[in-house]
Amino acid sequence: MKKALVTEIRRASFHDGPGVRTVVFFKGCPLRCAWCHNPECLSFEKEELYYPDKCIACGRCSEGCYTGARSVCGREMSVDEIFGEIMGDMSYFGKDGGATFSGGEPLAQGEILSELLDKCRSRGINCALETSMLIWNEEIFKKCDLVMADIKIWDSDLHEKYTGVRNERIKENFLALDALGIPIIARTPVICEIDQGLDRIADFLSGLKNLVSYELLPYHPLGRSKYEALGKSFTEFSVPSKEYMKGLSEKYVYLQRKT
Amino acid sequence: MYTYKERLDAMRKTKIAHTLAKRKQNGFTDLDDFGTVPISEGYKVIPWYNSENGSFYGLDGMSDNFCRVIGAHEPYVDKNEMLCGRWRDMLVNYRGDIHYMPDWLKNNLKNEEFIKKGATAQWSKRWDEQRFPYDHLKDDQKKYNITSGIDSDAHFACDYRIGFELGFGGLLEKINKYRKINPDKADFYDAEERCVLAIVDFIKRHTERIKEMIKTEKVPEIRENLTEMLRVNENITLGKPSTLHEVCQWTVYFNCASRIYTRDGAGFQLDTLLYPYYIADKEKGILDDEKAKFLIADLLLSDPHYYQISGVDANDNDMTNPLSYLILEAADAINVSCNLTVRVHPNCDREFLKKSVFYLMKNKNGWPRFANDEALSAGYMKNGLDKQTARERIAVGCNWLCVPGREFPMNDTVKINIAKVFEVALSEMKNEKERSVERLFELYSKHLEKAVSVVAEGVNLHIDHIGEVTPELIMNLMMKNTLERGEDISRCAEIYTVGVDGAGLAVVADSFAALKTRIEDERVLSWEEMYESIENDFADRRIYAMMKSTPRYCSGNSVADAFAKRLTDNFVCKVKGQKMPQGRTLVPGWFSWARSIEYGKTVGATPNGRRSGEPLTHGANPEAGFRKDSAVTAQSSGIASVQCGYGNTAPLQIEFDPGVTLENGGLERVTDLILGHFELGGTLININVIDKEKIMQAKDDPDKYPDLVVRVTGFTAYFASLSPAFRELVVKRFIDET
């Protein structure tokens, strides 16, 4: 039976789409964003995280670590197992809530994602997708009630420099998704040190027929401890001020609830 | 100008001043606010002790001392309010009731004597042990850490319709009428009459005070307000209340009296009972909605009694009416510690529920809370009661319910610390050769059965004799059969569905799960090692981490979740299986009130990684950190699955940070959560929405936010009044869950 590699399933999320949501974080992402705060979601393999401050030096690591100093990130789960977790919150979804598939990049595990979407839809569960838009899968998009799509940097060279991939395909996919008539929430992480071309992005988004809103997400350094736990180097950016974020939000307010 | 808003602001300020002054007078208290005002200068009561053991009991002792205490009360009239009357002190304080005794009374010579003699236990001189001893129960009560309910508070609910129909004059007539019919009960009727006359005198003293204030008041609007207040007071001194203003004022006086008597009393279905007065006044043109709102706000300010609103009747018809909405608006306008419960049912106006959630999120003051009409009624009917009765049963206590006027439930006064029962079983198994989780469960079950039988004996002793020790002379006035038969309600209630709550569910479920997982399934720990760890309070940090990290109750389909359900089934089986005399029956629930600290101190280390003396988990709630994502839905589902199902509650207590706001869809989400929990069979939901920064600052400097109200559990309290230990517990619960 095919299994997905999942980082975590978070229930009762109030921040990943409308209503009460169960969020499935798929492990593995084709992008390498310099500011990523979920470094444990990047690799398509299981990884060990090590938090030395939790270690009690018992010397019995091989017998299992109970303090949380060493933990394995990544769990292979079948469609039924994941669906069982989602169903756990079925009573709370109301008319707005449902499941959100996030990552990593959920579309990178398209086959199992597609099956999950079928299962959810058969029970009337609202399905949202959080994606980098690098991967196109029309069949999957058509099964979604909402897509939360990232558009990080307008200039493709800069995009490649900071994420590891060019963005032409991402822009094309945005247009193709819009053509499918699926509601879109576009999102941009705000990194002060990078000229992200927010005006150009906003112009581009204003042409989309199905844009519901545009969310600007301030960079935060909260992923630092996870980088250290994975033994990876951490690049720190500056945290945008509240005033700066407020200014941006006001500037692009015309993109909110366009449809 | 003398606007309602200005008056309400002034009333709120006075309330804040009272809260701070009371804390100075009383010390910290981990209790409800109860609506008291500070003790006035020169206040003094000289009690009459009629027992050789230095306390007072019975009809004469209670009625005489009630008259002394209410007689010593200064009238309370605030010219900003429409209603007058507050209480300050209760007569049971003079029986050395250490648990509730305010600091200012501890200096009283008699109480110093009690304290010196070791009266540190809760019910030092309240029960007449010379006449009704229970020494044979004490060892087992201690062994299983049982709160026996013997001489507990009068946890039942009056039928206010009786009082509204009669007024105090009508009650006096009723007393006289039945005195003639039952001449052998003269002592009873004398005592009741003394009490009612003392209340009438209390009202008259207020009337005199209002007259004095009118004489010197220069502001015409205030004089007009005082004049109306005077008219209302004169009308209801003996007459029955006939307007909304009068019925609210009558309620305040009755509540003052019942509080002064034993601190007790309970509210009622506020919207339904007051609606006829509201409508009649509006039709007469003497009331508009703004005035009605002000009156309700004043009533809510006067005493944080538990009132219910909305819900369905016996035919499942929605009872929500325009006054239900006004009550929410009134509570919003005064925004103090309001113990409003919104009854929720699929047939109820959904907009009303949303409006209730709106105010919860807007004010972040812990009100209202939510009760599930469907599950509570269906459960209660399993005790053999009809649907009409079940629907009348309303949430009038911290977590408890009662059929007004008819039931004697002792709810929330009888508890078994099941973590202690578990500890006894674990200790017994240590001496056995064959140790297993199944054997442990068997032993636990055996000891629980014993604990329940001890509880039953205590309950029966209480019901049989409380009428002789502490007859309930005030609330008795608005119960059925009492005045008619000349009896205390403990003797003549129509229904005896007596609540027995278990405390420490999560500790025990997680402990069973930890043993099953680590010792039997994974075999990474031996029973010997486990016992050693318990005894040395988890000196070995690896074993501590091992036990602490087993999946917890409420994590979702875990071993601990399965044990929690099994423990619930077992608890229900033992409690419902206990034979009781005279039509009495025990009703199981999971609730532990503020006793999670106190109970925890009696229990050594437990296999779930809880160290010796640490607080127990509260009610049916899971341990803090039960899931990495602290999913409130998982907690809700877990708690819904451990409902005992006989009409008593296992409340869901949740905390939100203000990140869940009205602006970002919080209203819909919280509403969905409430409906989801109730769809799964949950019974009662207490929600706090608190500003994290504010509560952290208030923890260190409570006076900075004297108006900060938190829903401690079923009751709300001023954060500034809580003891440092309790503030710490509330903050920890909040921080861990958000």
Side-chain angles (χ1 to χ4, degrees):
Chain A
M1 188 194 300
K2 185 143 180 71
K3 291 199 170 189
L5 190 63
V6 171
T7 311
E8 183 192 355
I9 296 179
R10 191 177 298 162
R11 289 170 62 179
S13 171
F14 287 5
H15 307 288
D16 297 276
V20 175
R21 306 199 76 87
T22 303
V23 188
V24 181
F25 291 90
F26 286 85
K27 189 160 167 23
C29 181
L31 273 67
R32 287 294 176 271
C33 303
W35 54 81
C36 181
H37 63 270
N38 285 327
E40 77 283 15
C41 291
L42 296 177
S43 165
F44 287 92
E45 305 290 332
K46 288 183 187 175
E47 292 168 282
E48 185 183 87
L49 283 91
Y50 175 59
Y51 293 96
D53 55 322
K54 292 185 182 173
C55 180
I56 55 171
C58 65
R60 297 166 72 178
C61 301
S62 60
E63 296 169 44
C65 177
Y66 298 106
T67 65
R70 288 184 190 281
S71 62
V72 173
C73 176
R75 182 181 161 202
E76 287 169 354
M77 294 181 79
S78 69
V79 169
D80 286 343
E81 284 172 321
I82 298 172
F83 187 64
E85 285 279 326
I86 294 170
M87 286 297 287
D89 276 353
M90 185 76 177
S91 299
Y92 308 98
F93 290 152
K95 68 177 174 56
D96 298 322
T100 297
F101 300 99
S102 182
E105 174 52 69
L107 285 158
Q109 299 186 54
E111 193 180 331
I112 204 150
L113 174 61
S114 183
E115 273 186 59
L116 266 171
L117 286 165
D118 288 339
K119 280 220 165 211
C120 289
R121 287 166 64 86
S122 72
R123 298 299 295 268
I125 297 172
N126 179 293
C127 294
L129 187 67
E130 287 183 320
T131 172
S132 64
M133 292 301 281
L134 184 69
I135 298 170
W136 178 253
N137 189 325
E138 186 167 325
E139 182 201 354
I140 286 180
F141 281 125
K142 279 182 172 169
K143 294 176 186 174
C144 295
D145 298 290
L146 172 72
V147 175
M148 288 169 273
D150 278 11
I151 179 154
K152 304 170 197 289
I153 297 172
W154 184 256
D155 181 81
S156 193
D157 291 338
L158 270 181
H159 195 281
E160 186 176 21
K161 179 180 171 188
Y162 284 105
T163 72
V165 298
R166 300 190 65 76
N167 68 8
E168 287 81 1
R169 211 187 316 158
I170 290 173
K171 291 174 192 167
E172 283 166 21
N173 290 343
F174 255 97
L175 296 173
L177 178 63
D178 192 41
L180 294 178
I182 295 160
I184 302 168
I185 294 176
R187 307 203 293 197
T188 300
V190 176
I191 318 294
C192 297
E193 284 83 350
I194 303 171
D195 178 10
Q196 292 172 278
L198 294 180
D199 287 344
R200 297 289 304 277
I201 291 174
D203 280 349
F204 173 73
L205 294 175
S206 68
L208 301 180
K209 294 186 196 72
N210 298 296
L211 185 74
V212 176
S213 64
Y214 180 39
E215 293 179 356
L216 290 145
L217 312 169
Y219 165 81
H220 64 76
L222 300 178
R224 178 197 291 271
S225 64
K226 289 190 278 189
Y227 277 93
E228 287 167 1
L230 286 161
K232 291 180 180 173
S233 62
F234 172 71
T235 311
E236 184 157 4
F237 295 90
S238 53
V239 177
S241 67
K242 279 185 183 168
E243 294 71 37
Y244 180 64
M245 292 307 299
K246 189 164 173 269
L248 288 181
S249 157
E250 284 166 2
K251 187 176 180 186
Y252 302 116
V253 72
Y254 64 93
L255 291 172
Q256 307 306 320
R257 306 201 176 275
K258 194 167 167 242
T259 57
Chain B
M1 281 300 287
Y2 187 44
T3 65
Y4 287 136
K5 188 175 178 313
E6 283 167 353
R7 292 165 70 178
L8 287 166
D9 287 346
M11 284 151 67
R12 268 179 67 84
K13 272 188 195 152
T14 305
K15 181 74 200 173
I16 289 169
H18 285 169
T19 303
L20 294 174
K22 283 196 299 183
R23 214 198 52 211
K24 273 192 190 144
Q25 285 185 348
N26 302 348
F28 292 117
T29 165
D30 295 338
L31 297 165
D32 199 316
D33 173 68
F34 299 129
T36 50
V37 291
I39 288 294
S40 43
E41 189 74 25
Y43 175 84
K44 194 174 180 188
V45 172
I46 301 170
W48 171 56
Y49 293 102
N50 68 350
S51 165
E52 283 176 12
N53 75 2
S55 190
F56 52 86
Y57 304 107
L59 294 166
D60 54 349
M62 291 303 288
S63 60
D64 183 284
N65 283 299
F66 172 71
C67 295
R68 288 168 191 247
V69 179
I70 196 169
H73 269 66
E74 278 276 301
Y76 180 89
V77 184
D78 177 348
K79 63 186 179 183
N80 289 308
E81 297 189 33
M82 284 185 182
L83 307 173
C84 55
R86 290 285 202 288
W87 72 291
R88 306 166 196 265
D89 182 24
M90 56 183 172
L91 63 153
V92 287
N93 275 338
Y94 299 90
R95 298 206 293 194
D97 184 346
I98 305 296
H99 188 69
Y100 294 122
M101 191 183 291
D103 282 358
W104 64 267
L105 247 182
K106 285 180 185 157
N107 303 324
N108 165 305
L109 281 179
K110 187 85 188 171
N111 288 326
E112 274 182 3
E113 185 192 324
F114 283 147
I115 295 164
K116 268 185 206 154
K117 283 183 182 169
T120 51
Q122 193 183 153
W123 313 119
S124 43
K125 288 285 183 188
R126 284 183 54 159
W127 187 253
D128 190 349
E129 285 201 51
Q130 284 177 320
R131 291 164 70 202
F132 311 111
Y134 57 100
D135 290 340
H136 64 295
L137 297 177
K138 285 182 178 170
D139 285 347
D140 282 334
Q141 286 173 346
K142 190 176 176 197
K143 181 177 176 184
Y144 300 122
N145 197 196
I146 288 167
T147 300
S148 71
I150 297 172
D151 201 20
S152 58
D153 285 3
H155 274 194
F156 57 89
C158 294
D159 185 345
Y160 276 72
R161 288 171 296 193
I162 295 174
F164 294 170
E165 276 303 306
L166 296 173
F168 292 111
L171 286 169
L172 285 170
E173 284 169 21
K174 189 173 176 182
I175 290 167
N176 282 321
K177 175 184 166 187
Y178 285 102
R179 192 203 312 261
K180 287 173 193 148
I181 295 171
N182 303 306
D184 56 323
K185 303 281 178 63
D187 287 352
F188 169 84
Y189 291 110
D190 288 350
E192 288 286 19
E193 186 176 50
R194 266 202 298 275
C195 290
V196 178
L197 289 174
I199 299 170
V200 169
D201 184 57
F202 184 58
I203 301 173
K204 284 181 178 167
R205 279 185 281 127
H206 280 80
T207 308
E208 291 309 310
R209 171 65 61 87
I210 300 164
K211 282 181 185 165
E212 283 166 28
M213 288 170 75
I214 291 172
K215 276 185 209 162
T216 54
E217 183 55 57
K218 298 213 166 34
V219 181
E221 293 100 323
I222 299 177
R223 209 165 47 235
E224 196 183 318
N225 180 54
L226 289 169
T227 305
E228 187 180 354
M229 201 189 267
L230 177 65
R231 192 167 54 241
V232 165
N233 272 264
E234 285 173 340
N235 286 350
I236 63 153
T237 307
L238 289 170
K240 72 172 199 172
S242 60
T243 63
L244 185 70
H245 193 158
E246 288 178 7
V247 88
C248 288
Q249 181 63 73
W250 195 93
T251 302
V252 171
Y253 281 129
F254 184 85
N255 291 347
C256 280
S258 71
R259 293 290 205 186
I260 287 169
Y261 193 80
T262 52
R263 188 194 64 99
D264 284 312
F268 51 87
Q269 180 80 30
L270 197 57
D271 48 0
T272 311
L273 260 63
L274 297 191
Y275 194 57
Y277 300 92
Y278 165 76
I279 286 294
D281 286 2
K282 283 192 87 171
E283 281 171 1
K284 279 186 243 163
I286 58 168
L287 183 76
D288 58 28
D289 280 355
E290 284 309 300
K291 186 177 175 186
K293 215 159 78 176
F294 187 88
L295 275 168
I296 302 286
D298 205 354
L299 179 67
L300 295 174
L301 174 74
S302 73
D303 191 323
H305 261 321
Y306 294 86
Y307 292 110
Q308 286 211 164
I309 45 178
S310 191
V312 293
D313 64 16
N315 298 315
D316 297 337
N317 294 319
D318 188 5
M319 297 194 295
T320 314
N321 62 37
L323 192 57
S324 317
Y325 282 88
L326 269 188
I327 291 166
L328 283 182
E329 288 168 23
D332 174 54
I334 190 72
N335 195 23
V336 288
S337 171
C338 298
N339 283 318
L340 284 179
T341 304
V342 172
R343 295 169 72 167
V344 181
H345 187 277
N347 291 359
C348 284
D349 181 356
R350 194 50 45 85
E351 285 311 307
F352 184 73
L353 173 61
K354 279 198 171 178
K355 186 156 182 176
S356 313
V357 177
F358 171 81
Y359 284 123
L360 170 78
M361 301 192 70
K362 173 179 172 260
N363 295 315
K364 306 179 180 69
N365 250 350
W367 66 267
R369 60 179 184 162
F370 305 89
N372 183 3
D373 254 12
E374 192 66 10
L376 288 166
S377 294
Y380 193 55
M381 287 165 69
K382 279 159 62 185
N383 297 296
L385 279 303
D386 61 280
K387 192 171 175 183
Q388 172 82 36
T389 303
R391 285 277 192 250
E392 280 180 18
R393 198 171 196 248
I394 57 174
V396 281
C398 180
N399 79 312
W400 56 272
L401 299 96
C402 183
V403 183
R406 298 171 58 199
E407 186 187 356
F408 192 78
M410 292 177 71
N411 266 340
D412 196 20
T413 68
V414 183
K415 299 186 194 301
I416 302 172
N417 179 351
I418 66 159
K420 193 72 189 166
V421 176
F422 173 85
E423 186 178 60
V424 171
L426 192 65
S427 171
E428 185 172 327
M429 194 176 76
K430 192 180 178 199
N431 303 319
E432 296 188 355
K433 275 186 188 166
E434 298 297 322
R435 294 166 179 165
S436 70
V437 169
E438 277 314 301
R439 174 63 185 150
L440 180 61
F441 201 94
E442 205 178 304
L443 290 170
Y444 163 82
S445 183
K446 178 189 85 173
H447 284 288
L448 181 64
E449 190 168 309
K450 175 67 183 165
V452 172
S453 72
V454 172
V455 157
E457 275 202 69
V459 163
N460 288 323
L461 179 80
H462 175 85
I463 297 176
D464 290 342
H465 299 295
I466 184 69
E468 293 154 87
V469 177
T470 309
E472 187 41 72
L473 293 167
I474 307 300
M475 292 175 70
N476 220 36
L477 296 166
M478 294 204 294
M479 300 300 283
K480 290 191 171 132
N481 303 330
T482 47
L483 294 184
E484 289 84 343
R485 296 185 192 168
E487 286 186 334
D488 186 75
I489 185 61
S490 59
R491 294 284 175 81
C492 61
E494 289 178 13
I495 308 162
Y496 290 90
T497 33
V498 178
V500 179
D501 283 307
L505 172 65
V507 169
V508 180
D510 292 343
S511 291
F512 269 116
L515 296 172
K516 174 90 173 65
T517 305
R518 302 306 189 205
I519 297 180
E520 295 191 344
D521 295 348
E522 297 173 355
R523 295 172 182 273
V524 290
L525 191 75
S526 69
W527 285 104
E528 277 308 321
E529 287 170 313
M530 187 280 299
Y531 275 112
E532 199 184 321
S533 297
I534 297 286
E535 278 154 25
N536 64 28
D537 209 14
F538 292 109
D540 184 322
R541 292 166 69 194
R542 186 168 183 273
I543 294 177
Y544 172 73
M546 180 188 284
M547 304 312 261
K548 195 88 183 161
S549 61
T550 48
R552 309 267 104 163
Y553 155 61
C554 281
S555 60
N557 298 319
S558 66
V559 176
D561 280 301
F563 270 110
K565 282 185 221 165
R566 192 174 166 195
L567 287 163
T568 302
D569 291 344
N570 184 263
F571 188 70
V572 171
C573 172
K574 300 298 176 199
V575 171
K576 290 309 297 176
Q578 175 64 42
K579 287 198 168 44
M580 295 287 283
Q582 300 169 49
R584 299 169 191 165
T585 182
L586 299 180
V587 182
W590 290 124
F591 187 67
S592 49
W593 183 50
R595 292 176 193 269
S596 48
I597 296 176
E598 181 189 321
Y599 283 170
K601 284 180 186 163
T602 71
V603 183
T606 40
N608 63 330
R610 177 191 148 279
R611 289 209 159 96
S612 178
E614 285 183 357
L616 298 186
T617 46
H618 170 66
N621 263 22
E623 183 184 87
F626 63 99
R627 270 177 72 98
K628 197 176 155 197
D629 58 11
S630 294
V632 68
T633 51
Q635 180 185 347
S636 162
S637 299
I639 291 175
S641 75
V642 298
Q643 297 296 323
C644 294
Y646 279 83
N648 280 5
T649 67
L652 168 65
Q653 171 90 32
I654 44 182
E655 335 286 330
F656 287 116
D657 70 26
V660 184
T661 61
L662 289 168
E663 291 75 32
N664 70 6
L667 174 61
E668 289 73 20
R669 286 165 171 139
V670 174
T671 306
D672 285 342
L673 182 73
I674 291 167
L675 292 171
H677 184 63
F678 287 166
E679 182 189 306
L680 295 174
T683 44
L684 190 67
I685 306 180
N686 303 317
I687 303 177
N688 272 321
V689 184
I690 305 179
D691 187 322
K692 194 171 183 172
E693 224 166 87
K694 191 172 176 181
I695 202 168
M696 289 306 288
Q697 285 176 16
K699 179 170 91 73
D700 299 326
D701 182 10
D703 289 359
K704 197 168 177 181
Y705 298 104
D707 57 343
L708 175 63
V709 176
V710 290
R711 182 163 288 283
V712 175
T713 170
F715 69 87
T716 53
Y718 289 95
F719 193 72
S721 299
L722 298 174
S723 65
F726 216 83
R727 287 204 302 269
E728 181 75 41
L729 196 76
V730 171
V731 168
K732 187 173 185 308
R733 191 177 72 197
F734 177 73
I735 298 303
D736 283 342
E737 289 187 13
T738 56

